[in-house]
Amino acid sequence: MQVEAFKVEIGQEQLETLKLQVKVAHIPRQTYETGSNHGQDWGVSRDWLVAAKEHWLNNFDWRKQESRINSLQQYTAKVPLPASATKPARFHKIHFIHVPAQTKSSPTQPSPRTILFLHGWPGSILEFIDIIHVLRQMGNFNIVAPSHPGYLYSDPPPLDTNFNDEDDAEIMLGLMKGLGYDEFVIQAGDWGQTVGRIMAVKYAEVLAVHFNFLPFGWAPEGAPDSSTLSLQDRKGLERLQDFMDRGRAYSNAHNTRPSTISLVLSSSPLALLAWIGEKFLSWSDTSPSLDEILTAVTLWFLTDTFPSSIYTYRDSVGESGRPQDWFVNKPTGFSSFAKEIMPVPKAWAETCCDLQFYRYHESGGHFAAMEKPEVLANDLVEFLDLVWKA
Amino acid sequence: MTSTIKVSPFKIEITNEKLDELKLAVKHSKIAKQVYDNSGNTYYGVTRDWIIKARDRWLDGFDWKKQENRINAFSQFVASVPRPNNKGNFDLHFIHERSSSPTARTLLLLHGWPGSYLEFLDLIDILKKTGEYNIIAPSMPGYAFSQSPPVDEEFGKEDVADLFHALVTGLGYEQYAIQAGDWGASILRIIAVKNPNSVRCVHLNFIPVGPPDGNITKPDLSSLTPVEKKNAMNSMKFLGEGRGYSEMHRTRPGTLGLVVGSSPIALLAWIGEKFLEWSDLDPDVDEILAATTLWWVTETFESSIYGYRDATGKADNPAWFIKTPTAYSSFAKELVISPKIWAEHSANITWYKYHEKGGHFAAMEVPDALAEDIVEFLNQEWKV
């Protein structure tokens, strides 16, 4: 597989253009909905957007963030894909972080274990930078964290054919095999979980999976009556119900009118900032810093990622609300964070996989890798020690 | 008949400076890259091609002043209308075309979202010529030149209904009829139910109700005609996949207001999609650009969506059944086309007509047909 080293290097002119676009972007008048005193969860406030715009223009240091991103070696690779009944043999360029294990296996050293991190929406490889640094200290791992097709520097899906999660899964497998990895474990949350689940079911190369997100929309068949659940689990289900009732309009827009929403959000950096900034703030337990959010939005805006980031939403696999439709018959770990957007009880998780590791955490939210890198790393290593003896 | 509220004449006068600012904002806006779903393969919303064409026209060819002159040919005013419960006064912008005939009947026209009083201009022209009506077409609070809802407290459809009733009676009219679609229809419902002695009759082109037994997943279509069955299925489709925008309005109006108001192209995409999708024949691009220009220069998108979180005046709520004589003009390309027998559970329907042509924006799309319906209905229910 043709692999080339890669660095994020945004040109100064591009940064100046972005600054101008931020500067001229219009911030609407104050309304009741964008105020800070209504006590409702109606999205980001005008005050927040005003402060974010000011910070973006005057304090945000892109080059410092760029250095941080480049602290982990990145590549692009033309992943070869074999011909199928409907498609010719072809390539798909994928951008990824690749940190091979420091010690190769030898008669005296245990084999390194390989981890594939799959981000979600509105995620990116940025979420995994901290956890990858932590894992490197903890053990001998080969770590791969790709950008899904359409995100950042990975090529977008084709213009003329529908592209779904199974196509994505195929490319991710091709990447791993192209790098020489015939066995690996997947760690994923959000939509990464969907792709990871498909890979686990379809590919022998996937030994085990670790998830921090299981998107049940409602109780699966075989789940115990909710009155028998612990208080902790019932509180989690209240959060889940609230998300189902009031938290999914963004996904409805992605699902039914992706063209419209792409045109809306590409028009101005502040539009994109409000749309995905809201998720970073409301889906996390401790909010990421403004710099973290602006880094993600800057990169998304400059690579025109949004229009090619939402293809999964029109695929019913992602939105089925029934993970048990793709039962993972391989060792699965589930780290359940209390402030996840769709928390589910262990009993539900057991209906969709061979659950061999479960841990509940009182704090932490949807972006577990970004919010709790040490906690998630500990869970992951403990799970690996259980199912993949080094 | 005298006015008891303070009324000032009004003309739209958007400065060249504001228009230049708009053009500059359009120029700075970025157009999304081409992807599978914005290329027009399947219906996924407004296409990239359309946005580019509309943007180019907006920058070169679209003449706002011409539109402004057309609008200013109508008699516009702003009135200071008292709110009930000593909540103070509220400025409402409206067209008011008064007939010289002493037996003229008063008609209140209510727009919806993403509408405006502009939708009614052709209809008002037609009705004006008969000399038989006093016509009032207000801008909803938060739209065009009407005052916006307060920034520090909740404001809903009942507040709007009370204001409109106070406007019409404040202008000196004791009795009136109302015509509406979209969520103007909800406002109409609230006014008619709360003020049965003032409202003589009402005309609706939108009555979005499901089957009387409430079973939306498996509706009983057995007593419907083939046309009604087909329309019911189309309505289910809209209810299933056409309401993403309204879920955003309902649950994240803060974020959405900031998003759509950040750039004229964002606004054009969000509301332009509805003008194209919800109408039978596509409106002229200049008509869409005129509406979008008005929304942009008045900064009203962010103040236009408060109604979506308010369930007051829902068509399927028996507490809001309209006892006033009601006309139902049903247009084939409406979003939710309830058959007459379903709509009868929502209002006292005494007049009904089905039209093969015409969609959601009936007044804008088929003003002659709508005018004919209104005239016939008023002659039936409000004889002079």
Side-chain angles (χ1 to χ4, degrees):
Chain A
M1 182 170 75
Q2 192 190 331
V3 179
E4 285 171 19
F6 181 87
K7 259 179 157 40
V8 178
E9 282 171 315
I10 306 293
Q12 196 55 33
E13 200 185 308
Q14 261 201 303
L15 289 175
E16 296 302 319
T17 305
L18 175 62
K19 241 189 173 165
L20 180 62
Q21 285 170 318
V22 173
K23 185 152 171 251
V24 304
H26 183 248
I27 296 189
R29 298 174 294 129
Q30 184 68 282
T31 59
Y32 183 56
E33 294 89 340
T34 55
S36 310
N37 66 346
H38 48 65
Q40 305 281 343
D41 182 16
W42 286 337
V44 294
S45 70
R46 186 178 186 276
D47 284 347
W48 181 84
L49 193 66
V50 167
K53 173 175 173 168
E54 202 273 333
H55 187 83
W56 211 349
L57 287 175
N58 300 320
N59 300 101
F60 179 65
D61 182 352
W62 167 258
R63 293 294 174 208
K64 181 171 150 205
Q65 300 300 331
E66 200 174 67
S67 292
R68 178 174 173 260
I69 301 170
N70 291 332
S71 71
L72 291 171
Q73 186 59 55
Q74 296 157 74
Y75 304 85
T76 59
K78 291 182 108 169
V79 177
L81 302 166
S84 73
T86 48
K87 295 178 183 148
R90 62 215 182 279
F91 295 91
H92 199 106
K93 188 177 89 168
I94 292 292
H95 160 247
F96 57 103
I97 291 171
H98 182 203
V99 181
Q102 273 139 335
T103 344
K104 298 282 179 269
S105 69
S106 72
T108 49
Q109 287 290 334
S111 313
R113 291 172 290 181
T114 305
I115 302 167
L116 170 64
F117 281 109
L118 296 178
H119 71 77
W121 186 96
S124 70
I125 54 160
L126 302 179
E127 284 169 57
F128 297 119
I129 295 176
D130 285 344
I131 196 175
I132 293 173
H133 282 300
V134 167
L135 280 168
R136 291 181 83 191
Q137 306 304 317
M138 288 179 75
N140 204 25
F141 304 104
N142 301 310
I143 302 168
V144 181
S147 297
H148 286 288
Y151 283 68
L152 303 191
Y153 302 98
S154 288
D155 274 353
L159 281 182
D160 52 4
T161 49
N162 207 349
F163 182 93
N164 62 19
D165 296 329
E166 290 189 64
D167 297 309
D168 188 2
E170 191 191 6
I171 294 173
M172 295 292 116
L173 178 74
L175 173 69
M176 294 304 277
K177 291 179 76 97
L179 291 172
Y181 298 124
D182 289 324
E183 293 185 321
F184 56 93
V185 169
I186 298 173
Q187 199 295 316
D190 194 82
W191 159 50
Q193 181 274 155
T194 308
V195 180
R197 177 173 291 278
I198 293 168
M199 292 178 75
V201 169
K202 289 177 82 165
Y203 306 135
E205 288 86 351
V206 179
L207 299 183
V209 289
H210 179 280
F211 297 137
N212 52 286
F213 181 67
L214 289 172
F216 288 90
W218 48 86
E221 281 158 37
D225 193 80
S226 59
S227 59
T228 65
L229 294 172
S230 66
L231 177 64
Q232 172 183 292
D233 279 343
R234 278 183 279 132
K235 273 184 130 57
L237 290 186
E238 274 171 32
R239 275 183 79 79
L240 168 57
Q241 195 53 47
D242 187 59
F243 182 78
M244 293 299 283
D245 292 339
R246 293 188 21 87
R248 294 187 300 153
Y250 78 100
S251 107
N252 196 323
H254 293 177
N255 178 337
T256 60
R257 299 289 182 277
S259 181
T260 299
I261 194 59
S262 294
L263 291 161
V264 168
L265 298 180
S266 296
S267 70
S268 147
L270 288 194
L272 186 65
L273 173 61
W275 192 261
I276 73 180
E278 182 213 290
K279 301 312 179 196
F280 280 118
L281 294 172
S282 67
W283 289 357
S284 56
D285 187 1
T286 317
S287 296
S289 67
L290 190 51
D291 276 347
E292 262 181 299
I293 297 174
L294 291 177
T295 303
V297 179
T298 297
L299 210 47
W300 271 53
F301 196 79
L302 292 175
T303 54
D304 212 355
T305 285
F306 184 88
S308 50
S309 74
I310 54 174
Y311 48 87
T312 182
Y313 289 85
R314 61 175 193 270
D315 183 339
S316 61
V317 172
E319 286 288 286
S320 70
R322 293 168 53 93
Q324 68 269 38
D325 288 349
W326 285 76
F327 188 94
V328 177
N329 204 359
K330 290 176 180 169
T332 305
F334 177 40
S335 293
S336 177
F337 291 87
K339 300 295 189 211
E340 179 53 88
I341 52 179
M342 300 176 75
V344 294
K346 182 179 178 207
W348 290 21
E350 284 166 339
T351 68
C352 71
C353 60
D354 175 12
L355 189 69
Q356 296 192 12
F357 174 91
Y358 170 84
R359 181 154 293 147
Y360 177 81
H361 298 277
E362 296 279 348
S363 62
H366 185 70
F367 298 100
M370 195 167 82
E371 300 178 53
K372 300 275 183 188
E374 287 98 357
V375 170
L376 190 64
N378 280 333
D379 280 6
L380 180 58
V381 172
E382 204 179 309
F383 172 64
L384 285 175
D385 286 344
L386 202 59
V387 304
W388 190 357
K389 310 277 185 269
Chain B
M1 185 202 65
T2 45
S3 179
T4 55
I5 53 178
K6 182 164 175 291
V7 179
S8 317
F10 178 86
K11 266 188 164 13
I12 305 182
E13 279 170 316
I14 308 299
T15 61
N16 284 330
E17 192 191 324
K18 259 218 136 55
L19 293 172
D20 287 342
E21 263 173 33
L22 166 57
K23 268 195 168 161
L24 191 62
V26 173
K27 278 205 189 94
H28 279 297
S29 298
K30 202 175 87 167
I31 303 288
K33 73 186 180 205
Q34 194 178 2
V35 291
Y36 174 76
D37 49 46
N38 64 23
S39 305
N41 295 307
T42 311
Y43 185 69
Y44 287 123
V46 66
T47 64
R48 187 173 183 272
D49 277 350
W50 186 87
I51 285 287
I52 291 173
K53 284 200 184 76
R55 177 202 58 183
D56 291 348
R57 172 82 184 160
W58 213 353
L59 290 174
D60 183 16
F62 172 70
D63 183 354
W64 168 256
K65 281 300 169 193
K66 182 169 147 208
Q67 302 288 335
E68 200 176 78
N69 291 337
R70 176 177 173 252
I71 303 165
N72 285 336
F74 294 85
S75 307
Q76 294 167 86
F77 303 88
V78 172
S80 180
V81 181
R83 294 183 68 189
N85 305 322
N86 296 317
K87 282 188 176 173
N89 276 27
F90 196 98
D91 284 347
L92 283 180
H93 159 251
F94 57 103
I95 286 175
H96 183 198
E97 297 289 348
R98 186 140 65 182
S99 161
S100 54
S101 161
T103 57
R105 293 160 290 182
T106 304
L107 179 63
L108 175 67
L109 301 173
L110 300 183
H111 70 79
W113 187 95
S116 70
Y117 72 117
L118 301 184
E119 283 168 55
F120 293 119
L121 298 185
D122 284 342
L123 179 69
I124 295 171
D125 257 339
I126 297 167
L127 294 172
K128 232 172 98 169
K129 287 191 173 80
T130 69
E132 292 176 19
Y133 309 99
N134 306 309
I135 304 162
I136 306 163
S139 295
M140 238 20 120
Y143 287 66
F145 305 97
S146 283
Q147 188 174 330
S148 280
V151 296
D152 50 7
E153 58 178 37
E154 188 59 281
F155 183 93
K157 291 191 261 186
E158 202 163 342
D159 296 295
V160 176
D162 289 343
L163 273 170
F164 283 167
H165 178 67
L167 171 68
V168 176
T169 53
L171 289 172
Y173 301 114
E174 284 173 11
Q175 298 224 303
Y176 57 103
I178 319 176
Q179 197 292 318
D182 196 78
W183 65 270
S186 302
I187 309 293
L188 173 158
R189 183 174 293 273
I190 299 167
I191 299 174
V193 168
K194 286 183 78 166
N195 307 285
N197 297 327
S198 308
V199 181
R200 276 297 285 258
C201 54
V202 295
H203 180 285
L204 287 166
N205 55 289
F206 186 59
I207 306 184
V209 286
D213 64 5
N215 190 344
I216 312 174
T217 32
K218 279 202 161 81
D220 174 14
L221 307 178
S222 53
S223 43
L224 303 184
T225 66
V227 168
E228 287 172 338
K229 274 197 185 105
K230 181 170 77 87
N231 287 337
M233 300 315 290
N234 285 340
S235 303
M236 295 298 136
K237 183 161 174 272
F238 171 75
L239 291 170
E241 66 88 43
R243 292 187 302 157
Y245 78 100
S246 79
E247 284 299 283
M248 276 306 303
H249 292 180
R250 178 178 74 89
T251 62
R252 296 290 183 271
T255 297
L256 191 71
L258 293 165
V259 164
V260 172
S262 69
S263 127
I265 294 295
L267 181 63
L268 178 63
W270 193 256
I271 72 176
E273 182 212 285
K274 300 315 180 193
F275 283 115
L276 296 171
E277 184 186 321
W278 292 357
S279 53
D280 186 357
L281 297 172
D282 285 349
D284 187 59
V285 69
D286 277 2
E287 237 175 325
I288 300 176
L289 291 176
T292 313
T293 299
L294 182 68
W295 278 58
W296 180 262
V297 299
T298 53
E299 291 189 77
T300 41
F301 177 81
E302 54 266 37
S303 53
S304 73
I305 55 179
Y306 54 91
Y308 286 82
R309 55 185 185 271
D310 179 2
T312 320
K314 281 192 82 166
D316 56 11
N317 184 343
W320 292 101
F321 180 88
I322 304 176
K323 296 194 177 92
T324 312
T326 303
Y328 178 25
S329 291
S330 179
F331 292 90
K333 298 294 188 219
E334 181 54 272
L335 305 174
V336 180
I337 311 156
S338 309
K340 179 168 177 250
I341 53 172
W342 293 5
E344 280 167 346
H345 291 265
S346 175
N348 170 22
I349 297 180
T350 62
W351 190 98
Y352 172 83
K353 190 164 180 190
Y354 180 75
H355 296 265
E356 282 296 331
K357 287 197 191 340
H360 187 69
F361 300 99
M364 192 172 83
E365 299 178 55
V366 285
D368 291 289
L370 189 65
E372 208 179 280
D373 286 5
I374 293 169
V375 168
E376 202 181 301
F377 173 64
L378 287 179
N379 285 343
Q380 174 185 299
E381 294 296 343
W382 192 352
K383 301 194 200 324
V384 271

